[in-house]
Amino acid sequence: MVPLYATVRKRAIEDGEDNRDCGGPPRASSENFTAGIHQAARKLLEMSVISQGRALLAGVLLASCGCASTVTSSPNLQNVQAIPSVAAQSGLKRGLYVLSSSGIAGFPTNNRKNNGPFCSLDNSTDGVGSIAFDRKGNLIVSNFTSSTITVYGAPSTHEACGKIIGVMQDPFGQPVDAASVNAATGRIVVIAEQQVDICSLRHGCTKRLGAGLLTAAASIALSRNGDCWAEADAPSGPGVLYYFKGCNSDGQLTTGYYGGSDNYGGLDIDNYGNIVSIFANYHNTPAVYVYSGCNPVCAPVSGPLPLVGNGTYGHLNKDSTELAVADTQLSSIDVYKFSPTSLRFEYSFTGGLSGIAGVAYNPRAQ
């Protein structure tokens, strides 16, 4: 069954940008009042465990004192803002992080004993499409219901997985997946409905990249050199893969990519630069395909490499030797031994969770 956000359409708006810096003092008018608002908003962001609602409230408070970056050119989209990140800090604890119906929880990298989580995030996962890590260990959470991207950094307490360092709203669409080298200070590339959006915590979403056949958006991957790829179902059903050179111009449809039928799944890039595509075929046999190049011509490396269940999203570990897949069919995390030419099932775990929908290693591959 294709998730709800894959069928929803929103009207895109023209690009716009306001680059006001929030690091300075509040505006001179009503100085005492705005300074108080500014301080209250900062306190909300500095809490060790913060709900998404409080983070968005902080954004509204910051906007009221002129400290939010507004990204809008449509009268129907008002107060669209990003909350600037705080000073760069180390990321979350090492481990395997799982998205489920009860929240996001951290587990040991090796969880053959099916242990419970060592930490959890106090947040609602209603509308969360996926989770991913950047190269600094920050956690990126995409929410298609609220059209927001939330970034978590290092925790302040032992019990917490992390704390929010920034929230931004995407005015162009509903985010399904995101990737970044450093989500705290750099750009975040987001796949949202029919396009790829270029965003950052400081400036919000300032540009959208077109891709004609992206309809049921699924996943995005970002390479070391800044290129990105987005996967989705085409209007007629088969999956398509788009290549975006430098991730700053409209996409090119790749060739040699096996979309099959009813393909909806995650993407990752291994340490060799190969594209790892999860073929979540809900009516037949789910599998993994590995490609090289895809810029825009894909050269098959291997596949189909069978999965034990319908895995939608998955990610590789730092060494690209293990692939963890969120098995939505069996509601488990399935861990495989991975190489570019082979995939071997090792074990599954649930950790006491249900409604498992996403998984990511920290540290991630490449």
Side-chain angles (χ1 to χ4, degrees), residues 288-312:
V288 168
Y289 288 78
V290 183
Y291 306 91
S292 65
C294 293
N295 53 357
V297 179
C298 296
V301 175
S302 64
L305 305 174
L307 297 172
V308 298
N310 280 328
T312 303

Side-chain angles (χ1 to χ4, degrees), residues 6 12 17 21 60 68 83-84 92 141 154 169 181-182 186 191 227 234 241 262 277 289 299 340 347 360:
E17 181 176 2
D21 188 354
V60 173
I83 298 177
L92 278 67
V141 180
Q169 188 168 18
V181 173
N182 186 342
I191 184 169
D227 293 344
L241 182 70
D262 196 18
S277 172
Y289 288 78
Y347 67 95

Side-chain angles (χ1 to χ4, degrees), residues 167-200:
V167 181
M168 66 182 177
Q169 188 168 18
D170 188 341
F172 302 137
Q174 294 171 293
V176 178
D177 193 23
S180 180
V181 173
N182 186 342
T185 61
R187 70 172 178 168
I188 303 171
V189 297
V190 179
I191 184 169
E193 300 177 42
Q194 296 178 328
Q195 78 279 329
V196 169
D197 300 334
I198 307 303
C199 313
S200 70

Side-chain angles (χ1 to χ4, degrees), residues 19-246:
N19 294 338
R20 288 192 299 268
D21 188 354
C22 286
R27 292 178 175 177
S29 60
S30 304
E31 183 173 354
N32 293 337
F33 175 71
T34 54
I37 291 176
H38 190 273
Q39 183 179 10
R42 288 299 178 193
K43 287 296 184 183
L44 282 172
L45 290 175
E46 290 168 0
M47 294 173 65
S48 60
V49 179
I50 182 170
S51 69
Q52 186 179 76
R54 283 176 178 166
L56 292 175
L57 173 59
V60 173
L61 290 172
L62 287 171
S64 68
C65 66
C67 291
S69 293
T70 303
V71 185
T72 178
S73 59
S74 167
N76 297 323
L77 277 172
Q78 300 297 326
N79 297 324
V80 178
Q81 72 281 320
I83 298 177
S85 67
V86 296
Q89 48 191 308
S90 58
L92 278 67
K93 305 169 188 175
R94 290 173 176 256
L96 191 57
Y97 288 75
V98 177
L99 167 67
S100 73
S101 58
S102 58
I104 299 172
F107 292 86
T109 301
N110 185 336
N111 199 29
R112 290 177 181 271
K113 296 182 179 180
N114 197 27
N115 294 322
F118 59 71
C119 70
S120 61
L121 287 172
D122 181 22
N123 70 322
S124 168
T125 55
D126 180 30
V128 174
S130 66
I131 59 175
F133 277 94
D134 65 15
R135 294 173 71 179
K136 302 295 184 180
N138 299 308
L139 178 65
I140 310 167
V141 180
S142 307
N143 191 303
F144 60 88
T145 298
S146 61
S147 292
T148 57
I149 298 291
T150 305
V151 179
Y152 291 84
S156 297
T157 65
H158 178 75
E159 295 79 11
C161 283
K163 69 175 181 180
I164 290 180
I165 60 174
V167 181
M168 66 182 177
Q169 188 168 18
D170 188 341
F172 302 137
Q174 294 171 293
V176 178
D177 193 23
S180 180
V181 173
N182 186 342
T185 61
R187 70 172 178 168
I188 303 171
V189 297
V190 179
I191 184 169
E193 300 177 42
Q194 296 178 328
Q195 78 279 329
V196 169
D197 300 334
I198 307 303
C199 313
S200 70
L201 290 181
R202 178 169 293 277
H203 301 307
C205 297
T206 56
K207 187 176 183 179
R208 55 191 175 98
L209 312 179
L213 296 179
L214 287 179
T215 53
S219 53
I220 191 165
L222 179 67
S223 71
R224 289 183 183 134
N225 70 355
D227 293 344
C228 66
W229 290 261
E231 196 276 341
D233 278 355
S236 59
V240 293
L241 182 70
Y242 270 81
Y243 165 65
F244 300 81
K245 183 175 177 60

